Amino acid sequence: MGEQRYRWKGNELREQAAIIDGKQSPTKVLVNATYLHSYFREWVKGNIWIHRDRIVYAGERFPDRVDEACEIVDCRGYVLVPGYIEPHVHPFQLYNPHSFARYAAAHGTTTLLNDNLFLLLQLDDEEAFLFLQGMNALPTSMYWWCRFDGQTELEREEEQVSNARIKRWLDQEVVLQGGELTSWPKVISGDDIVLYWMQEAHRRRRKIEGHFPGASEKTLVKMALFGADGDHEAMTGKEVYMRLSHGYTVTLRHSSIRPDLPVLLEEMKALGVRHYDKCLLTTDGSPPSFYEDGVIDRLIRIAMEHGVPVIDAYAMATINAARHYGIEHLHGSITTGRIAHINFLRSAHDPMPVQVLAKGEWVKRDGEAPSLWPEPEWDRFGIRPLSLSWELDWDDLQFSMPMGLRMENAVILKPYSVSIDTSRDRLSHDHDECFLALFDRNGRWRVNTMLKGFASALGGLASSYSNTGDLILIGKHKEDMLLAFQRMNEIGGGIVLAEEGEILFELPLPLGGMMSPVEMNELMNEEKTFVRLLRERGYRFEDPVYSLLFLQSTHLPYVRVTQRGIYDVMHKTVLFPSIMR
């Protein structure tokens, strides 16, 4: 990836300095502005000069030279705050990084730190780094993580997560952290490879984000010694307190499966936490419909409603995140030298912006979103529709395994003994057990088992949306499962429901079989239809999208279906290996 060596070249810096001397005009001047000063921690009044994508001055002065082309914006009636930062984005949750960034920007979230798992597992590095470059050209600021594991048992882990690849990713200018560190048990148990990557990340001044749900104080202390800087998995106020007490930056989560923020804030108050300088906010990569009420703006509002002082609430979404990730010189405040991400609010108590500047350009004006978002050339990045060179046949749908997976909730799976007759082609609707099969995208292997708790009246579901991009089949009727699988392939990947020989629903995901190209509002409606249809057929948990995604995820207990077979997470062993086709 060809990196620009400096954010602004020498001639651009000279041009910006000339504006201060009155020799050149800025491109925008925001006058009569009441804005949040993140360092004084108070509201101040003044004028803000912007030249292209940078704030060149914020204070009392008006520029000495203003050309006709300079846009003068009267800010009376607004209060201005820095663009919000979402530090923990999974940008492949049916939506894609481009569509999510556009939607988030309209809600004032103009800086995103994105998971790279899809890019690591589905693209080679040349394609992936070209993609990072393309996303960097968007009006929003797009940064990335570097995963140290595939979050499941991979067939070719030594190739997909190799030492050379990790170093190449950490060397990318837009990669700000290693993690999220779902492989922390390996570090605790003596794996020096992951520990070495953590050290290499720190050597490059990257942060390490933990993934420590339910971790004891002893574990948190060890991981802090090994180099973990932050964590987003606190589920109680006590867990927040414990992380803060050992120097962690704590990202407070409010997501579709963990809507914890109100409880966290109330319990933090009860424990005497009154300072929020080491706290950030995240929605943790929720499915599309979760964002109907906003992105980080929604979390700021929740924070205010639960007693967080207004300026602290905005700080958690701006300057705190910028400071933690070492990008304070570019983000998090309306001060000289920062990238011009600015939200225009009607009131300090309403964080949903009515106008938004991103990199000095309007991405929302008078409630409307201007079209500054050219569609990416997906094929150029190697992100193409699913196209299988193999076919599924009846022999692939043989289920004789004595052990199945039982859903405890949307994402936790426990083993159970299968007692029903699985040799039939159709299962009864009197119980909640379904056939479950995982197929290698390239058709080399399969894993067949049973899934209890997902649905009681589901004909067939096929999904190319999964943790690894491998293919999931779930259902009561083998003929419907085959039909759903065939249709999924025809549409280039996606989620398909079939019932009684007919296609009931389809959600095309032609971007690598994982992502939709449509805008967020349309995708929300499609997701809600999918969820409604599943609930009508017996799904009873919070989030079926996450249920599909996490079937393979070995950072969660207790058993998973993986590329290597049925995997016992707690004992780190393959219980039943995958079968070669």
Side-chain angles (χ1 to χ4, degrees), residues 344-360:
F344 292 65
L345 315 178
R346 285 300 184 192
S347 162
H349 295 277
D350 183 2
M352 171 62 176
V354 290
Q355 301 191 134
V356 179
L357 282 172
K359 293 181 180 173

Side-chain angles (χ1 to χ4, degrees), residues 298-339:
R298 176 184 181 183
L299 274 56
I300 298 170
R301 183 179 295 107
I302 292 172
M304 293 178 187
E305 290 170 351
H306 288 270
V308 176
V310 170
I311 289 176
D312 283 319
Y314 285 110
M316 286 195 286
T318 57
I319 190 66
N320 292 6
R323 184 171 291 142
H324 175 71
Y325 284 103
I327 52 174
E328 187 180 353
H329 62 298
L330 297 175
H331 300 284
S333 66
I334 302 176
T335 49
T336 297
R338 275 57 177 182
I339 296 172

